[in-house]
Amino acid sequence: MIEIGVTVEVPIDEAFATLTDGWLYSSWVVGASHIRAVDPEWPAVGSRIHHSVGPWPFTMRDHTTVLAVQEPHRLELEARLWPFGAAYVRLTLREEGPGRTRIEMAEKAVKGPGVVVPDLAQGLLLAPRNRESLHRLADLVRGRADKG
């Protein structure tokens, strides 16, 4: 998996709080267009964000499930979009200094047709999308920190 990263001038707890706000998912994940529901226990393991993907009126409904969480350092997800498959997504946060957080994202197809694509090719195909997603997330993190 190719890991993409971005650094924000925000404490790790604030960055993690924005990352784990399920209602913001469609604001930063490229392709997600609408959040229909967020399980009340989100981001606990097994909880889900129920989302739509794609432009209206051609949206597809599915969900993303938390596989693992270690607050405020890691969130692992299975993002589904059937019939196309599912992806494993790992988001890692680490402090780079006081009030400075590095957010890294890695993704890999784990179900569906994408699994036959070699890992290196998957990474190269997903890198631009994930880079844009992280830039959007960084803007949200900064914006929420400015309002705090």
Side-chain angles (χ1 to χ4, degrees):
M1 290 189 295
I2 291 179
E3 207 159 47
I4 304 298
V6 64
T7 300
V8 290
E9 301 292 330
V10 174
I12 192 169
D13 291 335
E14 291 181 36
F16 193 78
T18 300
L19 169 65
T20 57
D21 183 336
W23 290 103
L24 293 178
Y25 187 82
S26 65
S27 297
W28 65 272
V29 175
V30 173
S33 57
H34 177 73
I35 302 303
R36 299 186 320 277
V38 177
D39 288 356
E41 60 276 6
W42 178 269
V45 172
S47 63
R48 295 178 174 181
I49 295 174
H50 306 269
H51 54 75
S52 298
V53 176
W56 184 89
F58 305 107
T59 58
M60 299 178 69
R61 297 167 66 135
D62 219 322
H63 63 269
T64 292
T65 305
V66 176
L67 301 175
V69 61
Q70 180 187 9
E71 187 176 341
H73 299 285
R74 192 179 79 242
L75 182 64
E76 297 177 30
L77 307 168
E78 181 183 75
R80 293 174 32 113
L81 182 58
W82 284 105
F84 301 107
Y88 166 79
V89 180
R90 182 183 65 233
L91 293 134
T92 307
L93 289 77
R94 73 173 185 276
E95 288 181 291
E96 287 196 328
R100 187 174 166 90
T101 304
R102 179 78 177 169
I103 306 170
E104 295 179 339
M105 179 179 185
E107 182 175 359
K108 177 181 177 171
V110 292
K111 295 178 183 169
V115 298
V116 299
V117 177
D119 288 352
L120 181 59
Q122 281 188 46
L124 293 173
L125 291 169
L126 292 170
R129 175 185 168 272
N130 290 350
R131 186 172 293 108
E132 176 61 21
S133 291
L134 280 182
H135 286 300
R136 292 178 184 188
L137 176 60
D139 288 342
L140 285 171
V141 168
R142 289 183 200 106
R144 286 176 51 142
D146 288 346
K147 285 185 176 183

